[in-house]
Amino acid sequence: PPLLEALAHGLPLLLRDLAPPPESLLRQIAPEKCPPEVWAAKAVGTLSKTCCELATRVRRETVMEPPVRVLGWLYSSMSLLVCRTSQSALDTQLDSNFCSATNSLCGTLLGLLFDDKSGVSPAAVTAEGTLALVLTGVCCLARVSPCLRSGFGGIVRDLSNMPPAFMTDRRRHVVIPSLLVLCMNDPSNVATVREEMSTTHLTKYLSRMENELGAYLADKEKVAAVGA
Protein backbone atom coordinates (compact mmCIF):
# COMPACT_ATOMS: atom_id res chain seq x y z
CA PRO A 1 0.00 0.00 0.00
CA PRO A 2 1.13 3.60 -0.62
CA LEU A 3 1.16 4.38 3.11
CA LEU A 4 3.41 1.42 3.90
CA GLU A 5 5.80 2.37 1.11
CA ALA A 6 5.91 5.98 2.35
CA LEU A 7 6.68 4.83 5.89
CA ALA A 8 9.36 2.46 4.64
CA HIS A 9 11.08 5.32 2.78
CA GLY A 10 10.74 7.77 5.63
CA LEU A 11 11.80 5.65 8.60
CA PRO A 12 15.45 5.18 7.55
CA LEU A 13 15.79 8.91 6.94
CA LEU A 14 14.25 9.70 10.31
CA LEU A 15 16.52 7.28 12.16
CA ARG A 16 19.61 8.41 10.27
CA ASP A 17 18.97 12.05 11.14
CA LEU A 18 18.54 11.50 14.87
CA ALA A 19 20.93 13.78 16.71
CA PRO A 20 23.27 11.90 19.04
CA PRO A 21 22.76 10.61 21.59
CA PRO A 22 19.57 8.94 20.26
CA GLU A 23 18.71 7.47 23.67
CA SER A 24 17.28 10.77 24.89
CA LEU A 25 14.77 10.87 22.04
CA LEU A 26 13.91 7.20 22.42
CA ARG A 27 13.10 7.76 26.08
CA GLN A 28 10.66 10.48 25.07
CA ILE A 29 8.92 8.14 22.65
CA ALA A 30 9.05 4.92 24.68
CA PRO A 31 7.37 4.30 28.04
CA GLU A 32 9.41 5.31 31.07
CA LYS A 33 9.99 1.71 32.12
CA CYS A 34 11.03 0.60 28.63
CA PRO A 35 14.82 0.95 28.10
CA PRO A 36 15.86 2.30 24.67
CA GLU A 37 17.47 -1.01 23.67
CA VAL A 38 14.21 -2.86 24.43
CA TRP A 39 12.15 -0.34 22.47
CA ALA A 40 14.51 -0.62 19.50
CA ALA A 41 14.41 -4.44 19.69
CA LYS A 42 10.59 -4.42 19.70
CA ALA A 43 10.64 -2.13 16.66
CA VAL A 44 12.96 -4.59 14.90
CA GLY A 45 10.62 -7.44 15.84
CA THR A 46 7.63 -5.61 14.38
CA LEU A 47 9.50 -4.86 11.15
CA SER A 48 10.69 -8.47 10.91
CA LYS A 49 7.10 -9.75 11.02
CA THR A 50 6.18 -7.38 8.19
CA CYS A 51 9.20 -8.59 6.23
CA CYS A 52 8.08 -12.21 6.67
CA GLU A 53 4.62 -11.38 5.33
CA LEU A 54 5.91 -9.45 2.33
CA ALA A 55 8.71 -11.90 1.50
CA THR A 56 6.18 -14.66 0.86
CA ARG A 57 4.72 -12.57 -1.99
CA VAL A 58 8.01 -12.04 -3.79
CA ARG A 59 8.45 -14.04 -6.97
CA ARG A 60 10.61 -13.36 -9.96
CA GLU A 61 7.65 -12.10 -11.94
CA THR A 62 6.63 -9.68 -9.15
CA VAL A 63 10.02 -8.14 -8.40
CA MET A 64 8.95 -4.77 -9.81
CA GLU A 65 5.90 -4.49 -7.56
CA PRO A 66 5.88 -2.23 -4.44
CA PRO A 67 6.34 -5.01 -1.81
CA VAL A 68 9.87 -5.69 -3.10
CA ARG A 69 10.94 -2.05 -2.87
CA VAL A 70 9.31 -1.81 0.56
CA LEU A 71 11.28 -4.84 1.76
CA GLY A 72 14.56 -3.16 0.93
CA TRP A 73 13.70 -0.15 3.03
CA LEU A 74 12.38 -2.27 5.90
CA TYR A 75 15.67 -4.17 6.14
CA SER A 76 17.50 -0.85 5.91
CA SER A 77 15.43 0.44 8.83
CA MET A 78 16.28 -2.65 10.86
CA SER A 79 19.99 -2.14 10.22
CA LEU A 80 19.70 1.33 11.76
CA LEU A 81 17.54 0.26 14.70
CA VAL A 82 19.72 -2.72 15.59
CA CYS A 83 22.61 -0.40 16.43
CA ARG A 84 20.50 0.88 19.34
CA THR A 85 19.64 -2.49 20.84
CA SER A 86 21.42 -5.38 22.57
CA GLN A 87 21.81 -9.07 21.82
CA SER A 88 19.67 -10.17 24.75
CA ALA A 89 16.84 -7.84 23.74
CA LEU A 90 17.10 -8.72 20.04
CA ASP A 91 17.11 -12.49 20.59
CA THR A 92 13.61 -12.31 22.07
CA GLN A 93 12.18 -10.62 18.95
CA LEU A 94 13.50 -12.69 16.03
CA ASP A 95 12.82 -16.33 15.24
CA SER A 96 13.58 -19.01 12.66
CA ASN A 97 10.62 -17.91 10.49
CA PHE A 98 12.33 -14.59 9.89
CA CYS A 99 15.59 -16.30 8.93
CA SER A 100 13.78 -18.69 6.58
CA ALA A 101 11.85 -15.86 4.91
CA THR A 102 15.06 -13.85 4.48
CA ASN A 103 16.92 -16.83 3.01
CA SER A 104 14.09 -17.37 0.53
CA LEU A 105 13.95 -13.68 -0.41
CA CYS A 106 17.70 -13.49 -1.09
CA GLY A 107 17.54 -16.71 -3.11
CA THR A 108 14.79 -15.25 -5.31
CA LEU A 109 16.69 -11.99 -5.87
CA LEU A 110 19.96 -13.79 -6.61
CA GLY A 111 18.20 -16.14 -9.01
CA LEU A 112 16.75 -13.22 -10.95
CA LEU A 113 20.14 -11.52 -11.16
CA PHE A 114 21.81 -14.74 -12.27
CA ASP A 115 19.25 -15.24 -15.05
CA ASP A 116 19.58 -11.65 -16.27
CA LYS A 117 23.23 -11.65 -17.29
CA SER A 118 23.16 -8.05 -18.52
CA GLY A 119 22.02 -6.69 -15.18
CA VAL A 120 20.56 -3.59 -16.83
CA SER A 121 16.85 -4.45 -17.04
CA PRO A 122 14.53 -2.57 -14.65
CA ALA A 123 13.78 -5.81 -12.80
CA ALA A 124 17.48 -6.61 -12.36
CA VAL A 125 18.29 -3.11 -11.16
CA THR A 126 15.45 -3.28 -8.61
CA ALA A 127 16.56 -6.74 -7.47
CA GLU A 128 20.17 -5.66 -7.11
CA GLY A 129 19.30 -2.57 -5.08
CA THR A 130 16.93 -4.53 -2.85
CA LEU A 131 19.51 -7.29 -2.34
CA ALA A 132 22.10 -4.75 -1.19
CA LEU A 133 19.71 -3.32 1.40
CA VAL A 134 18.60 -6.76 2.59
CA LEU A 135 22.16 -8.02 2.98
CA THR A 136 23.14 -4.86 4.86
CA GLY A 137 20.30 -5.51 7.29
CA VAL A 138 21.27 -9.17 7.59
CA CYS A 139 24.89 -8.28 8.40
CA CYS A 140 23.88 -5.75 11.05
CA LEU A 141 21.53 -8.27 12.68
CA ALA A 142 24.16 -11.02 12.58
CA ARG A 143 26.77 -8.79 14.20
CA VAL A 144 24.53 -7.96 17.16
CA SER A 145 23.06 -11.45 17.48
CA PRO A 146 25.67 -14.09 16.48
CA CYS A 147 23.13 -16.92 16.90
CA LEU A 148 21.37 -15.65 13.76
CA ARG A 149 24.38 -16.44 11.56
CA SER A 150 23.58 -20.13 11.30
CA GLY A 151 19.96 -19.23 10.58
CA PHE A 152 21.14 -17.31 7.53
CA GLY A 153 23.01 -20.35 6.22
CA GLY A 154 20.82 -20.41 3.11
CA ILE A 155 22.15 -16.99 2.13
CA VAL A 156 25.73 -18.19 2.62
CA ARG A 157 25.09 -21.18 0.38
CA ASP A 158 23.44 -19.09 -2.35
CA LEU A 159 26.21 -16.47 -2.33
CA SER A 160 28.88 -19.18 -2.38
CA ASN A 161 27.25 -20.86 -5.38
CA MET A 162 27.27 -17.72 -7.51
CA PRO A 163 29.77 -18.00 -10.41
CA PRO A 164 32.79 -15.65 -10.48
CA ALA A 165 31.23 -13.61 -13.29
CA PHE A 166 28.32 -12.68 -11.01
CA MET A 167 30.48 -10.71 -8.63
CA THR A 168 31.05 -7.60 -10.70
CA ASP A 169 32.91 -4.64 -9.28
CA ARG A 170 29.81 -3.18 -7.63
CA ARG A 171 28.37 -6.48 -6.39
CA ARG A 172 31.55 -7.72 -4.72
CA HIS A 173 31.30 -4.92 -2.16
CA VAL A 174 28.07 -6.58 -0.98
CA VAL A 175 28.77 -10.27 -1.49
CA ILE A 176 32.23 -10.63 0.07
CA PRO A 177 31.54 -8.52 3.20
CA SER A 178 28.28 -10.43 3.74
CA LEU A 179 30.09 -13.75 3.62
CA LEU A 180 32.77 -12.50 6.01
CA VAL A 181 30.20 -11.32 8.57
CA LEU A 182 28.06 -14.46 8.38
CA CYS A 183 31.10 -16.76 8.65
CA MET A 184 32.61 -15.00 11.67
CA ASN A 185 32.86 -17.56 14.50
CA ASP A 186 30.35 -19.80 12.71
CA PRO A 187 31.92 -23.16 11.74
CA SER A 188 28.88 -24.35 9.76
CA ASN A 189 28.89 -21.32 7.45
CA VAL A 190 32.67 -21.51 7.06
CA ALA A 191 32.31 -25.16 6.02
CA THR A 192 29.66 -24.16 3.47
CA VAL A 193 31.95 -21.56 1.87
CA ARG A 194 34.81 -24.08 1.75
CA GLU A 195 32.60 -26.62 0.01
CA GLU A 196 30.77 -24.33 -2.40
CA MET A 197 33.17 -21.51 -3.27
CA SER A 198 36.60 -21.61 -4.86
CA THR A 199 39.10 -20.42 -2.27
CA THR A 200 41.34 -19.23 -5.11
CA HIS A 201 38.55 -17.01 -6.38
CA LEU A 202 37.91 -15.63 -2.91
CA THR A 203 41.61 -14.96 -2.32
CA LYS A 204 41.89 -13.06 -5.60
CA TYR A 205 39.01 -10.78 -4.67
CA LEU A 206 40.37 -10.11 -1.18
CA SER A 207 43.83 -9.35 -2.61
CA ARG A 208 42.31 -6.99 -5.15
CA MET A 209 40.36 -5.17 -2.47
CA GLU A 210 43.51 -4.90 -0.36
CA ASN A 211 45.44 -3.44 -3.31
CA GLU A 212 42.68 -0.93 -4.04
CA LEU A 213 42.64 0.13 -0.40
CA GLY A 214 46.43 0.59 -0.45
CA ALA A 215 46.19 2.69 -3.62
CA TYR A 216 43.43 4.81 -2.10
CA LEU A 217 45.43 5.46 1.08
CA ALA A 218 48.53 6.32 -0.95
CA ASP A 219 46.57 8.83 -3.06
CA LYS A 220 45.10 10.31 0.11
CA GLU A 221 48.57 10.82 1.56
CA LYS A 222 49.75 12.53 -1.66
CA VAL A 223 46.81 14.92 -1.58
CA ALA A 224 47.49 15.70 2.06
CA ALA A 225 51.17 16.32 1.33
CA VAL A 226 50.33 18.71 -1.52
CA GLY A 227 47.86 20.57 0.70
CA ALA A 228 50.46 20.95 3.43
Side-chain angles (χ1 to χ4, degrees):
L3 177 59
L4 180 58
E5 187 166 7
L7 287 172
H9 280 74
L11 186 55
L13 298 176
L14 173 63
L15 294 171
R16 189 168 55 206
D17 293 339
L18 286 177
E23 288 78 9
S24 59
L25 181 56
L26 288 177
R27 286 196 182 95
Q28 294 177 25
I29 300 173
E32 188 66 28
K33 295 182 180 180
C34 183
E37 63 270 16
V38 175
W39 181 90
K42 288 183 177 180
V44 170
T46 300
L47 292 177
S48 71
K49 290 180 175 60
T50 304
C51 287
C52 288
E53 294 175 4
L54 293 179
T56 58
R57 308 182 198 175
V58 177
R59 301 290 183 273
R60 296 189 186 192
E61 62 273 13
T62 63
V63 75
M64 289 298 292
E65 295 181 5
V68 178
R69 297 193 294 274
V70 169
L71 276 166
W73 286 105
L74 290 176
Y75 278 91
S76 177
S77 299
M78 282 193 287
S79 68
L80 293 166
L81 280 166
V82 78
C83 298
R84 295 165 168 80
T85 187
S86 62
Q87 178 182 348
S88 58
L90 186 62
D91 287 346
T92 63
Q93 299 296 324
L94 300 177
D95 55 24
S96 59
N97 291 332
F98 172 70
C99 292
S100 298
T102 304
N103 288 335
S104 176
L105 172 63
C106 287
T108 299
L109 296 174
L110 285 167
L112 188 148
L113 290 171
F114 179 68
D115 290 343
D116 190 333
K117 298 296 190 298
S118 66
V120 297
S121 69
V125 171
T126 298
E128 188 171 46
T130 302
L131 179 65
L133 293 174
V134 171
L135 289 178
T136 299
V138 165
C139 288
C140 290
L141 291 168
R143 287 184 63 187
V144 174
S145 181
C147 64
L148 290 174
R149 293 171 190 165
S150 295
F152 292 132
I155 296 176
V156 173
R157 184 171 300 279
D158 287 339
L159 291 178
S160 300
N161 278 320
M162 287 293 105
F166 170 80
M167 283 190 279
T168 60
D169 284 346
R170 66 180 185 273
R171 287 175 183 165
R172 67 191 174 90
H173 294 301
V174 175
V175 175
I176 298 299
S178 298
L179 287 175
L180 290 174
V181 171
L182 294 176
C183 288
M184 185 182 300
N185 299 323
D186 192 292
S188 62
N189 285 344
V190 171
T192 297
V193 173
R194 284 177 175 170
E195 293 173 4
E196 305 293 340
M197 176 178 276
S198 166
T199 54
T200 302
H201 174 57
L202 183 59
T203 301
K204 285 182 179 179
Y205 265 112
L206 292 175
S207 298
R208 181 177 173 184
M209 292 173 71
E210 184 179 14
N211 293 335
E212 288 181 1
L213 177 60
Y216 168 77
L217 293 176
D219 291 341
K220 190 176 180 179
E221 289 179 359
K222 291 180 181 178
V223 172
V226 172

